[in-house]
Amino acid sequence: MTSDITAFRHRADLAGIPVYRQGKPAPTDRRAFKLSSNENPYGPLPSVVEAIERGALGTINRYPDMHGWKVVDRIAAQYGVDASNVILGAGSSEIITELVNALAGSGTEVIYPWRSFEAYPIIVRGSGATPVQVPLTADLRHDIPSMIAAVTDRTRLIIVNNPNNPTGTTVSREEAERLLEAVPKDVVVLFDEAYFQFNTDPDTEVAMDLFRRYPNVVVAHTFSKAYGLAGLRIGYGIGPAAVVDEMSKVALPFAVSDVAQTAAVASLDAQSELDDRVRDLIAERARVLDALRGQGWHVPDSGANFFWLQLGDLTDRVAERLTEAGVIARVFSGDGIRISIGSHEANDLVIETCAAAIEALPEAAKQWAPEDGDAR
């Protein structure tokens, strides 16, 4: 059978869309750690597993509640919003997809920073809309003035990724407010906050505060990262009821399983225990970054559970050394490497391997060496 799509009637515009690449798994024949997908290194809490076994496994022959009211009502109460402002999806990626499909299409544009989350161009092009990629600043942060300048009559959505994946850099409160004050109020601004629990920058924007002050804000959160439920696929969006209604029209029916919904509620019930895990990961992040900077690496501050090495042409050479040592990271050839914060043992290996890499390739430190005051 032919594998050439031109043998069939098809969408020619999909030719420019890359296939999303999952983070590489760790090999099983030697000591290695998968630090390529920003996963929580800890499994779900015992109380969450118990809730799944007790309340969800016996009903998997039935369709789940399509609207996920037990989660929606809980999220609405937690944030003090109406249930009509909340929508579930199979991870925050689906929330973003629903929003783009609801607002954008052929002849329209979606603005987002770049480099940023790899799914953005895939989602936008998949909707038929045109992506408008605004390059990051020299210190690897959102270029807010350029994002404002990119707005046209064709703009249907602006995406702010805070913290930004893969650089880990954050968006300040002043920058977010400047953006929202400048753009037309009929242009929706999405704050993608997949990693907000790890964001300790005291000057950062808080999207839910902005949601309460501006009529055109949508917030996307996920249970995949801090809550450690990546394999169950559940996230949620909070936005104006009219926008949520439109998102519901393009949502995949029954996308969020009852197992995922049960796990989400149980995780919210165990918030204090999960907060302890978040604090542990934040402390490990600080330990790793301090060690790498002491070795001579220039690493931007991170508000997420990963960090970024800007390496340019040396990316593949450093990546090869990491892989050989058992550090399986996310590699962006010609650009840089994103390394997730893992267990204490995994992080020790990262520190040890990076020390050897910069000794062998001291020029790696010079690939991104910001002037004083540029890094945040």
Side-chain angles (χ1 to χ4, degrees):
M1 296 182 64
T2 181
S3 60
D4 187 349
I5 190 62
T6 59
F8 307 98
R9 299 181 186 185
H10 68 286
R11 281 182 57 182
D13 61 315
L14 294 186
I17 300 180
V19 175
Y20 184 84
R21 297 180 299 108
Q22 185 175 6
K24 290 183 178 180
T28 57
D29 59 346
R30 60 190 175 92
R31 177 174 176 253
F33 298 94
K34 182 188 177 188
L35 303 177
S36 57
S37 295
N38 300 339
E39 295 158 328
N40 193 316
Y42 308 113
L45 292 166
S47 60
V48 175
V49 175
E50 180 183 353
I52 292 172
E53 293 174 340
R54 183 180 66 249
L57 293 184
T59 59
I60 57 176
N61 59 311
R62 305 294 184 185
Y63 286 110
D65 172 7
M66 192 170 76
H67 297 287
W69 289 116
K70 63 185 176 184
V71 185
V72 166
D73 287 342
R74 181 66 179 272
I75 294 296
Q78 178 172 319
Y79 286 104
V81 300
D82 192 83
S84 64
N85 298 121
V86 183
I87 185 169
L88 297 188
S92 55
S93 295
E94 191 190 10
I95 295 299
I96 299 166
T97 302
E98 291 171 357
L99 183 61
V100 171
N101 287 339
L103 300 180
S106 179
T108 67
E109 298 175 343
V110 176
I111 298 169
Y112 54 85
W114 196 255
R115 173 172 295 275
S116 193
F117 183 33
E118 288 176 276
Y120 292 157
I122 298 172
I123 293 170
V124 173
R125 288 194 181 278
S127 74
T130 299
V132 178
Q133 298 184 161
V134 178
L136 299 176
T137 61
D139 55 347
L140 308 178
R141 302 175 64 248
H142 285 54
D143 187 340
I144 297 298
S146 294
M147 293 178 75
I148 294 170
V151 175
T152 70
D153 291 341
R154 295 180 297 277
T155 304
R156 295 296 179 270
L157 178 67
I158 301 170
I159 301 176
V160 175
N161 189 202
N162 188 36
N164 186 52
N165 175 16
T167 62
T169 48
T170 60
V171 177
S172 72
R173 186 175 297 106
E174 187 274 332
E175 288 171 326
E177 292 175 348
R178 190 192 325 169
L179 175 68
L180 287 165
E181 290 293 335
V183 304
K185 294 301 181 284
D186 60 351
V187 173
V188 172
V189 179
L190 167 67
F191 287 86
D192 179 0
E193 289 190 329
Y195 304 93
F196 79 97
Q197 292 95 340
F198 304 102
N199 191 350
T200 56
D201 183 349
D203 189 41
T204 194
E205 58 84 4
V206 177
M208 282 307 301
D209 292 344
L210 300 173
F211 169 78
R212 294 183 175 91
R213 294 172 50 204
Y214 294 91
N216 55 332
V217 169
V218 174
V219 183
H221 287 171
T222 183
F223 284 91
S224 296
K225 310 304 181 184
Y227 291 96
L229 301 181
L232 289 181
R233 310 308 302 132
I234 179 167
Y236 59 93
I238 299 177
V243 175
V244 169
D245 283 344
E246 293 301 296
M247 293 169 67
S248 298
K249 295 177 182 178
V250 296
L252 181 67
F254 308 111
V256 182
S257 70
D258 188 52
V259 175
Q261 294 179 39
T262 299
V265 172
S267 294
L268 293 171
D269 287 340
Q271 189 66 51
S272 61
E273 295 172 84
L274 285 162
D275 287 344
D276 289 340
R277 289 186 169 183
V278 169
R279 281 191 289 269
D280 178 70
L281 286 169
I282 290 172
E284 281 293 282
R285 181 184 71 196
R287 182 174 76 90
V288 173
L289 293 191
D290 285 348
L292 265 59
R293 287 167 178 163
Q295 295 168 5
W297 295 95
H298 293 281
V299 189
D301 285 345
S302 174
N305 66 335
F306 57 83
F307 64 92
W308 174 253
L309 297 177
Q310 183 82 359
L311 295 167
D313 293 340
L314 291 178
T315 297
D316 290 345
R317 293 173 64 186
V318 174
E320 183 178 0
R321 290 179 173 273
L322 291 171
T323 302
E324 288 175 352
V327 176
I328 311 304
R330 190 61 174 257
V331 180
F332 301 83
S333 291
D335 202 350
I337 300 173
R338 188 194 70 196
I339 305 177
S340 306
I341 299 299
S343 65
H344 192 92
E345 182 184 3
N347 299 332
D348 281 346
L349 182 60
V350 170
I351 293 170
E352 173 188 324
T353 306
C354 284
I358 200 167
E359 182 176 350
L361 298 167
E363 62 269 35
K366 301 175 183 177
Q367 295 298 302
W368 184 69
E371 299 293 333
D372 290 344
D374 281 352
R376 291 170 56 86

Short mmCIF file of all heavy atoms in Angstrom, two decimals, residues 323-363:
data_model
loop_
_atom_site.label_atom_id
_atom_site.label_comp_id
_atom_site.label_asym_id
_atom_site.label_seq_id
_atom_site.Cartn_x
_atom_site.Cartn_y
_atom_site.Cartn_z
N THR A 323 23.66 11.85 27.07
CA THR A 323 23.04 10.56 26.76
C THR A 323 23.95 9.40 27.12
O THR A 323 23.51 8.39 27.70
CB THR A 323 22.68 10.49 25.26
OG1 THR A 323 21.78 11.57 24.95
CG2 THR A 323 22.00 9.17 24.93
N GLU A 324 25.23 9.52 26.80
CA GLU A 324 26.18 8.46 27.13
C GLU A 324 26.25 8.21 28.63
O GLU A 324 26.43 7.07 29.08
CB GLU A 324 27.57 8.83 26.60
CG GLU A 324 27.71 8.76 25.09
CD GLU A 324 29.06 9.24 24.61
OE1 GLU A 324 29.83 9.77 25.46
OE2 GLU A 324 29.36 9.09 23.41
N ALA A 325 26.06 9.28 29.41
CA ALA A 325 26.14 9.15 30.87
C ALA A 325 24.83 8.66 31.48
O ALA A 325 24.80 8.32 32.67
CB ALA A 325 26.53 10.49 31.48
N GLY A 326 23.75 8.64 30.70
CA GLY A 326 22.46 8.18 31.22
C GLY A 326 21.50 9.29 31.55
O GLY A 326 20.46 9.05 32.17
N VAL A 327 21.81 10.52 31.14
CA VAL A 327 20.89 11.65 31.31
C VAL A 327 20.13 11.83 30.00
O VAL A 327 20.67 12.31 29.01
CB VAL A 327 21.64 12.94 31.67
CG1 VAL A 327 20.67 14.12 31.76
CG2 VAL A 327 22.38 12.77 33.00
N ILE A 328 18.86 11.42 29.99
CA ILE A 328 18.05 11.49 28.78
C ILE A 328 17.25 12.79 28.83
O ILE A 328 16.26 12.90 29.56
CB ILE A 328 17.11 10.28 28.65
CG1 ILE A 328 17.89 8.98 28.88
CG2 ILE A 328 16.43 10.29 27.29
CD1 ILE A 328 19.09 8.79 27.97
N ALA A 329 17.70 13.80 28.08
CA ALA A 329 17.12 15.13 28.12
C ALA A 329 16.38 15.43 26.81
O ALA A 329 16.40 14.63 25.87
CB ALA A 329 18.21 16.16 28.36
N ARG A 330 15.75 16.59 26.75
CA ARG A 330 15.06 17.01 25.52
C ARG A 330 16.01 17.91 24.74
O ARG A 330 16.43 18.97 25.22
CB ARG A 330 13.78 17.78 25.86
CG ARG A 330 12.86 18.05 24.67
CD ARG A 330 12.38 16.76 24.03
NE ARG A 330 11.39 16.99 23.00
CZ ARG A 330 10.08 16.80 23.15
NH1 ARG A 330 9.61 16.39 24.32
NH2 ARG A 330 9.24 17.00 22.16
N VAL A 331 16.36 17.49 23.55
CA VAL A 331 17.38 18.16 22.75
C VAL A 331 16.74 18.91 21.60
O VAL A 331 15.94 18.35 20.84
CB VAL A 331 18.40 17.14 22.21
CG1 VAL A 331 19.47 17.85 21.38
CG2 VAL A 331 19.04 16.36 23.37
N PHE A 332 17.10 20.19 21.45
CA PHE A 332 16.66 21.02 20.33
C PHE A 332 17.92 21.38 19.55
O PHE A 332 18.61 22.36 19.88
CB PHE A 332 15.95 22.28 20.84
CG PHE A 332 14.73 21.99 21.68
CD1 PHE A 332 14.86 21.71 23.04
CD2 PHE A 332 13.47 21.99 21.13
CE1 PHE A 332 13.75 21.44 23.83
CE2 PHE A 332 12.34 21.73 21.91
CZ PHE A 332 12.48 21.45 23.26
N SER A 333 18.22 20.57 18.55
CA SER A 333 19.48 20.71 17.81
C SER A 333 19.69 22.14 17.32
O SER A 333 18.77 22.76 16.78
CB SER A 333 19.50 19.76 16.62
OG SER A 333 19.58 18.42 17.05
N GLY A 334 20.92 22.63 17.53
CA GLY A 334 21.26 23.98 17.10
C GLY A 334 20.75 25.06 18.01
O GLY A 334 20.96 26.25 17.76
N ASP A 335 20.09 24.68 19.09
CA ASP A 335 19.47 25.67 19.98
C ASP A 335 19.86 25.43 21.43
O ASP A 335 20.59 26.22 22.03
CB ASP A 335 17.95 25.61 19.81
CG ASP A 335 17.27 26.90 20.25
OD1 ASP A 335 17.95 27.76 20.85
OD2 ASP A 335 16.06 27.05 19.99
N GLY A 336 19.38 24.33 22.02
CA GLY A 336 19.71 24.08 23.42
C GLY A 336 19.14 22.77 23.92
O GLY A 336 18.57 21.98 23.16
N ILE A 337 19.26 22.56 25.22
CA ILE A 337 18.83 21.33 25.87
C ILE A 337 17.98 21.68 27.09
O ILE A 337 18.37 22.51 27.90
CB ILE A 337 20.03 20.47 26.30
CG1 ILE A 337 20.89 20.11 25.09
CG2 ILE A 337 19.57 19.20 27.02
CD1 ILE A 337 22.19 19.39 25.45
N ARG A 338 16.83 21.00 27.20
CA ARG A 338 15.99 21.15 28.38
C ARG A 338 16.13 19.90 29.23
O ARG A 338 15.97 18.79 28.73
CB ARG A 338 14.52 21.32 27.94
CG ARG A 338 13.57 21.67 29.09
CD ARG A 338 12.13 21.48 28.65
NE ARG A 338 11.81 20.07 28.48
CZ ARG A 338 10.75 19.62 27.81
NH1 ARG A 338 9.94 20.45 27.19
NH2 ARG A 338 10.51 18.31 27.73
N ILE A 339 16.41 20.09 30.51
CA ILE A 339 16.60 18.98 31.43
C ILE A 339 15.60 19.09 32.57
O ILE A 339 15.57 20.10 33.28
CB ILE A 339 18.04 18.93 31.98
CG1 ILE A 339 19.06 18.89 30.83
CG2 ILE A 339 18.21 17.72 32.90
CD1 ILE A 339 20.50 18.92 31.29
N SER A 340 14.79 18.06 32.76
CA SER A 340 13.80 18.05 33.83
C SER A 340 14.48 17.79 35.17
O SER A 340 15.51 17.10 35.24
CB SER A 340 12.75 16.98 33.59
OG SER A 340 12.16 17.10 32.31
N ILE A 341 13.89 18.31 36.22
CA ILE A 341 14.35 17.99 37.58
C ILE A 341 13.76 16.64 37.96
O ILE A 341 12.55 16.43 37.90
CB ILE A 341 13.91 19.07 38.58
CG1 ILE A 341 14.49 20.43 38.19
CG2 ILE A 341 14.31 18.68 40.00
CD1 ILE A 341 16.01 20.49 38.19
N GLY A 342 14.63 15.72 38.33
CA GLY A 342 14.18 14.37 38.66
C GLY A 342 14.39 14.04 40.12
O GLY A 342 14.36 14.92 40.99
N SER A 343 14.60 12.77 40.39
CA SER A 343 14.89 12.34 41.75
C SER A 343 16.26 12.85 42.18
O SER A 343 17.06 13.31 41.36
CB SER A 343 14.87 10.80 41.82
OG SER A 343 15.92 10.27 41.02
N HIS A 344 16.56 12.75 43.47
CA HIS A 344 17.85 13.21 43.97
C HIS A 344 18.99 12.49 43.25
O HIS A 344 19.99 13.11 42.86
CB HIS A 344 17.93 12.96 45.49
CG HIS A 344 19.09 13.64 46.16
ND1 HIS A 344 18.99 14.90 46.72
CD2 HIS A 344 20.38 13.25 46.33
CE1 HIS A 344 20.17 15.24 47.21
NE2 HIS A 344 21.03 14.26 47.00
N GLU A 345 18.84 11.20 43.06
CA GLU A 345 19.88 10.42 42.38
C GLU A 345 20.05 10.88 40.93
O GLU A 345 21.18 11.03 40.44
CB GLU A 345 19.51 8.93 42.40
CG GLU A 345 20.54 8.03 41.74
CD GLU A 345 20.13 6.58 41.69
OE1 GLU A 345 18.99 6.27 42.11
OE2 GLU A 345 20.94 5.75 41.23
N ALA A 346 18.94 11.13 40.24
CA ALA A 346 19.02 11.60 38.86
C ALA A 346 19.69 12.96 38.79
O ALA A 346 20.52 13.22 37.91
CB ALA A 346 17.62 11.66 38.25
N ASN A 347 19.35 13.83 39.73
CA ASN A 347 19.93 15.17 39.72
C ASN A 347 21.42 15.14 40.04
O ASN A 347 22.20 15.93 39.49
CB ASN A 347 19.20 16.06 40.73
CG ASN A 347 17.72 16.21 40.38
OD1 ASN A 347 17.35 16.13 39.21
ND2 ASN A 347 16.90 16.41 41.39
N ASP A 348 21.83 14.22 40.89
CA ASP A 348 23.27 14.04 41.14
C ASP A 348 24.00 13.68 39.86
O ASP A 348 25.10 14.18 39.59
CB ASP A 348 23.49 12.94 42.19
CG ASP A 348 23.24 13.41 43.61
OD1 ASP A 348 23.15 14.64 43.82
OD2 ASP A 348 23.13 12.55 44.50
N LEU A 349 23.39 12.80 39.06
CA LEU A 349 24.01 12.40 37.80
C LEU A 349 24.07 13.58 36.83
O LEU A 349 25.06 13.73 36.10
CB LEU A 349 23.24 11.23 37.17
CG LEU A 349 23.82 10.68 35.87
CD1 LEU A 349 25.25 10.16 36.07
CD2 LEU A 349 22.93 9.56 35.31
N VAL A 350 23.04 14.42 36.82
CA VAL A 350 23.06 15.62 35.97
C VAL A 350 24.23 16.51 36.35
O VAL A 350 25.00 16.98 35.49
CB VAL A 350 21.73 16.39 36.10
CG1 VAL A 350 21.84 17.76 35.42
CG2 VAL A 350 20.58 15.60 35.48
N ILE A 351 24.40 16.76 37.64
CA ILE A 351 25.48 17.63 38.12
C ILE A 351 26.84 17.04 37.74
O ILE A 351 27.73 17.74 37.22
CB ILE A 351 25.37 17.81 39.65
CG1 ILE A 351 24.11 18.61 39.99
CG2 ILE A 351 26.62 18.50 40.20
CD1 ILE A 351 23.77 18.64 41.48
N GLU A 352 27.00 15.75 37.98
CA GLU A 352 28.27 15.07 37.67
C GLU A 352 28.57 15.11 36.17
O GLU A 352 29.70 15.40 35.75
CB GLU A 352 28.17 13.62 38.16
CG GLU A 352 29.32 12.73 37.78
CD GLU A 352 29.04 11.27 38.14
OE1 GLU A 352 28.39 11.03 39.19
OE2 GLU A 352 29.45 10.38 37.37
N THR A 353 27.56 14.85 35.36
CA THR A 353 27.76 14.80 33.91
C THR A 353 28.02 16.19 33.33
O THR A 353 28.86 16.35 32.44
CB THR A 353 26.52 14.18 33.23
OG1 THR A 353 26.26 12.90 33.82
CG2 THR A 353 26.75 14.01 31.74
N CYS A 354 27.32 17.19 33.83
CA CYS A 354 27.54 18.55 33.35
C CYS A 354 28.93 19.05 33.72
O CYS A 354 29.56 19.80 32.96
CB CYS A 354 26.46 19.48 33.90
SG CYS A 354 24.85 19.30 33.08
N ALA A 355 29.42 18.64 34.87
CA ALA A 355 30.78 19.02 35.27
C ALA A 355 31.80 18.47 34.27
O ALA A 355 32.72 19.18 33.85
CB ALA A 355 31.08 18.52 36.68
N ALA A 356 31.62 17.22 33.87
CA ALA A 356 32.53 16.61 32.90
C ALA A 356 32.38 17.25 31.53
O ALA A 356 33.37 17.45 30.81
CB ALA A 356 32.27 15.11 32.82
N ALA A 357 31.14 17.60 31.16
CA ALA A 357 30.89 18.17 29.84
C ALA A 357 31.52 19.55 29.69
O ALA A 357 32.13 19.86 28.66
CB ALA A 357 29.38 18.25 29.59
N ILE A 358 31.40 20.38 30.71
CA ILE A 358 31.95 21.73 30.57
C ILE A 358 33.47 21.73 30.69
O ILE A 358 34.15 22.61 30.14
CB ILE A 358 31.31 22.70 31.60
CG1 ILE A 358 31.50 24.15 31.12
CG2 ILE A 358 31.88 22.50 33.00
CD1 ILE A 358 30.66 25.15 31.86
N GLU A 359 34.01 20.71 31.35
CA GLU A 359 35.46 20.59 31.39
C GLU A 359 36.00 20.21 30.01
O GLU A 359 37.04 20.70 29.57
CB GLU A 359 35.88 19.53 32.42
CG GLU A 359 37.38 19.38 32.56
CD GLU A 359 37.77 18.40 33.66
OE1 GLU A 359 36.88 17.98 34.43
OE2 GLU A 359 38.97 18.06 33.72
N ALA A 360 35.24 19.35 29.32
CA ALA A 360 35.65 18.92 27.98
C ALA A 360 35.33 19.96 26.93
O ALA A 360 36.03 20.08 25.92
CB ALA A 360 34.98 17.60 27.63
N LEU A 361 34.25 20.72 27.15
CA LEU A 361 33.79 21.72 26.18
C LEU A 361 33.59 23.07 26.89
O LEU A 361 32.46 23.54 27.04
CB LEU A 361 32.48 21.28 25.53
CG LEU A 361 32.51 19.98 24.73
CD1 LEU A 361 31.09 19.50 24.43
CD2 LEU A 361 33.28 20.18 23.43
N PRO A 362 34.66 23.70 27.35
CA PRO A 362 34.52 24.95 28.11
C PRO A 362 33.83 26.05 27.31
O PRO A 362 33.25 26.97 27.90
CB PRO A 362 35.96 25.33 28.47
CG PRO A 362 36.80 24.60 27.47
CD PRO A 362 36.08 23.32 27.18
N GLU A 363 33.87 25.96 25.97
CA GLU A 363 33.22 26.98 25.16
C GLU A 363 31.70 26.94 25.28
O GLU A 363 31.01 27.88 24.87
CB GLU A 363 33.63 26.82 23.69
CG GLU A 363 33.22 25.50 23.04
CD GLU A 363 34.27 24.43 23.16
OE1 GLU A 363 34.96 24.38 24.19
OE2 GLU A 363 34.41 23.63 22.20
#
